[in-house]
Amino acid sequence: MDPRLIGALALCWASQAPDAQPAPEPEDPDPEAETALAPAEEGGEAAHEVAFRYLVQFRPAERVANVRLRVEQRAPGLKRLRFHIDPAQHLDFRGDGNLEREDDSHVVWRPPEGGGTARWSARLDHLRDQKSYDARLTSRWALFRGSDLVPPAASRFVGGSTSVGTVRFELPKRWKLVTPAVEIGPGRYRIDTDRFFARPQGWMMAGRLRTVVFESAGVQVTVATPRKLGLELMELRTFLRFTLPSFRTLLGEMPDRIVIVGAGDPMWRGGLSGPRSLYVHADRPLVSKDGTSPILHELMHAFMRAVSKENGDWVVEGLAELYAVHLLHRAGGMSDAERDAAIAYLRKKGKGVRSLLAPRSTGRRTAKAVGVLDRLDRKIRERTGGDTSLDHVVRRLVESGAPITTAHFRQVVSDVVGEDMAPFFETHVAATP
C-alpha cells in the first residue's frame, strides 16, 4: 500500500471520538430565493443590467458587521427587494427611496429608479442552541455565512434585466479573509450566482487565521481555522488528498474550489454545508466510530448542492451518509467487511422507523434511509445485470439540478433501471416494517 495512504489512514482512525454525533443536515435553502419577474411596463421599458455592490466593515468590539448595498442602474431595472430577515441579527435598516419594515421578518426596499443605497448592521454572534454558535465574531476572528451578512430577498425587476454583483471587505489590521468567492482586486470579490439578486453566499472566515491551500482531483481546497483550538490542518489535508478523487469518479463535474472553515467551542459541534464551502467543528472526527465520515458527508452535500422538497430530505441526507461510507471504502480507507459492518450498523440503528416520508431527516430516519438506499443499490444492480448502480442515479440528480422529492427520485431510479420501481418505494419508503 502507498505509504501516504497508510499515514492518512492512521490519522483517520486516530481521530475517532467515542461520543461523536452523526453529521447533521445541511443548511436550509433560502426561504425567499425565488425571483418574481415583472414584465416590461406599458410604455416600453427596456431590460437593463443591475449591479449589486456591497461593502462589509467588521466591528469586533460591537460584535457586528456594517453592510452597505449600493444598487447601480441607469434606468429602472430593479423594482423591489423584500428581505427575509432575522430581527435579532439584521438590524437598523435605512436607505434611499422607499424602505419600510413590513413585519417582524420582512423589510421591503424600493430603490430610486436611477439606483440607490441601503445600509444595515449584521450581528454575527448567532446561537444555534442554548450554548453554541453557528456564527461568531470575536476580537481575533469571525466565522459566518453570506446569509449572516445579507439576508435572502425576493426581488421584482423588469423582465429580461440582468445582474452582476461584487463585495468588498474592510478588515481590521492583520486580519485576512477566506471565502469561496473569486478575488478580483484587493479585498474585492465577484459574486457568482444564478439568481437575479446577487449576494454573498457560502461559509467564510476572517481574522488572524491558520490556513492551508492545496489541490486534489482538480479542486482547489482552502482550509481556515483560528490560530488556537482549531482544525488539525495537516490531518485534514492528508485525508482529503486521498478521498477527493473518489468524488471526482462518482460525480464527474465538481466545483473548481471549495472552502472549509472550522473552530472549537463555543462553536456548534456539527457540520454544515454551503455553496462551495462547509463548516465543521474542530472536534468532529475524520471518521466516526460507526464508520461514517462527517467531513465526507458534508462534502457530498456541498458538491451535489441538492435541495429537498416534498418529503425528499431522506434522499438527500441518506445519500450523503451512505456515500460518506462508500467513498471512504473506494479510496482504500475501509475493507469490504468494514464497509458492510458500517452499513449494517446504520440499518440496525434505523430499524424502528416505519416511514421515511417526513419534512426533515435526522438521526434514526437518516440511518434507515442508508439501509433502504443500500438495498436499492443492490436492486438496481440486480435488475440491470450489474451494468448500472445507484451511482448513475446520483449523477442524474446532479445533472438535472431539480429539487429532490420522493416522486422525482423514484422517477429517476425508474428511468435508470428501465422499469417502474414504484413497488420498491411502496414497500421500503412509504411504510417500512
Side-chain angles (χ1 to χ4, degrees):
M1 184 180 289
D2 189 327
R4 293 175 299 176
L5 181 56
I6 295 174
L9 295 179
L11 290 171
C12 294
W13 296 106
S15 299
Q16 293 187 40
D19 60 347
Q21 305 169 15
E25 71 278 3
E27 287 186 275
D28 288 334
D30 293 342
E32 302 204 18
E34 295 184 0
T35 299
L37 300 176
E41 296 178 356
E42 294 183 10
E45 261 190 68
H48 298 282
E49 181 179 86
V50 178
F52 297 94
R53 311 292 188 194
Y54 297 91
L55 172 65
V56 178
Q57 299 168 309
F58 292 97
R59 297 288 183 262
E62 304 167 34
R63 298 294 180 93
V64 301
N66 293 333
V67 182
R68 185 191 74 193
L69 166 59
R70 187 173 73 249
V71 171
E72 299 175 354
Q73 53 185 14
R74 294 185 177 179
L78 176 68
K79 297 291 189 180
R80 184 191 70 178
L81 289 175
R82 185 173 183 260
F83 291 101
H84 185 98
I85 69 168
D86 179 342
Q89 190 175 13
H90 305 114
L91 313 168
D92 304 326
F93 277 82
R94 57 199 185 281
D96 303 332
N98 183 288
L99 189 149
E100 59 183 359
R101 184 74 169 263
E102 186 177 80
D103 54 40
D104 285 346
S105 300
H106 296 91
V107 171
V108 177
W109 183 39
R110 295 176 177 82
E113 292 188 352
T117 300
R119 294 177 172 84
W120 62 89
S121 295
R123 181 177 292 145
L124 293 187
D125 280 5
H126 184 263
L127 284 166
R128 189 175 181 89
D129 55 34
Q130 291 184 349
K131 59 181 180 179
S132 59
Y133 295 84
D134 59 11
R136 182 78 165 153
L137 175 58
T138 75
S139 61
R140 292 182 176 272
W141 53 269
L143 194 162
F144 55 95
R145 290 152 295 199
S147 58
D148 294 316
L149 294 173
V150 182
S155 58
R156 187 169 182 82
F157 58 94
V158 174
S161 296
T162 58
S163 67
V164 295
T166 60
V167 55
R168 182 164 61 90
F169 291 88
E170 289 187 357
L171 304 175
K173 290 182 179 179
R174 293 183 288 176
W175 279 35
K176 61 181 175 181
L177 177 76
V178 171
T179 170
V182 174
E183 189 169 16
I184 55 177
R188 187 165 168 263
Y189 299 84
R190 184 180 71 237
I191 298 173
D192 295 320
T193 179
D194 56 359
R195 296 164 180 164
F196 181 81
F197 177 46
R199 65 189 183 97
Q201 290 187 310
W203 286 96
M204 308 177 205
M205 197 164 191
R208 302 178 188 181
L209 309 175
R210 292 186 294 119
T211 60
V212 62
V213 181
F214 62 96
E215 185 274 335
S216 180
V219 180
Q220 178 181 288
V221 183
T222 303
V223 187
T225 197
R227 291 182 179 178
K228 296 181 180 180
L229 302 176
L231 300 171
E232 294 295 337
L233 299 184
M234 297 304 103
E235 289 187 13
L236 188 52
R237 181 179 67 181
T238 303
F239 183 69
L240 293 179
R241 273 184 168 157
F242 87 86
T243 53
L244 281 177
S246 296
F247 281 95
R248 174 71 70 185
T249 302
L250 170 66
L251 301 174
E253 294 294 324
M254 293 206 300
D256 58 0
R257 63 193 183 280
I258 192 162
V259 163
I260 300 173
V261 299
D265 295 340
M267 295 303 295
W268 182 63
R269 286 177 167 262
L272 293 166
S273 64
R276 291 191 174 92
S277 60
L278 62 91
Y279 156 80
V280 64
H281 188 274
D283 286 347
R284 296 294 287 145
L286 296 178
V287 181
S288 300
K289 64 179 180 180
D290 60 8
T292 62
S293 170
I295 193 76
L296 297 185
H297 179 112
E298 296 306 330
L299 279 170
M300 190 69 180
H301 283 311
F303 290 145
M304 283 192 69
R305 294 309 305 152
V307 175
S308 64
K309 290 186 177 180
E310 298 173 21
N311 295 330
D313 203 46
W314 72 269
V315 181
V316 175
E317 288 300 319
L319 287 174
E321 193 77 337
L322 176 65
Y323 277 95
V325 176
H326 277 328
L327 295 177
L328 184 59
H329 168 258
R330 295 175 189 182
M334 274 184 175
S335 68
D336 292 351
E338 289 165 340
R339 173 203 57 196
D340 294 344
I343 293 174
Y345 171 84
L346 292 168
R347 187 181 294 115
K348 181 179 180 181
K349 179 180 176 181
K351 190 174 182 180
V353 177
R354 290 190 52 80
S355 174
L356 292 175
L357 303 181
R360 298 296 295 273
S361 181
T362 58
R364 292 171 61 242
R365 180 170 280 108
T366 296
K368 182 72 175 184
V370 169
V372 170
L373 291 170
D374 179 66
R375 185 190 295 265
L376 178 61
D377 186 28
R378 287 184 276 114
K379 181 66 70 174
I380 294 171
R381 294 173 189 270
E382 174 189 311
R383 296 290 178 87
T384 62
D387 295 333
T388 309
S389 70
L390 190 62
D391 290 5
H392 296 80
V393 176
V394 170
R395 293 189 200 108
R396 291 275 189 97
L397 293 174
V398 173
E399 289 168 3
S400 74
I404 294 180
T405 65
T406 296
H408 175 57
F409 181 61
R410 185 181 67 190
Q411 185 60 55
V412 172
V413 172
S414 298
D415 292 344
V416 167
V417 175
E419 64 177 88
D420 188 3
M421 295 295 288
F424 178 94
F425 281 76
E426 292 168 359
T427 301
H428 300 287
V429 175
T432 55

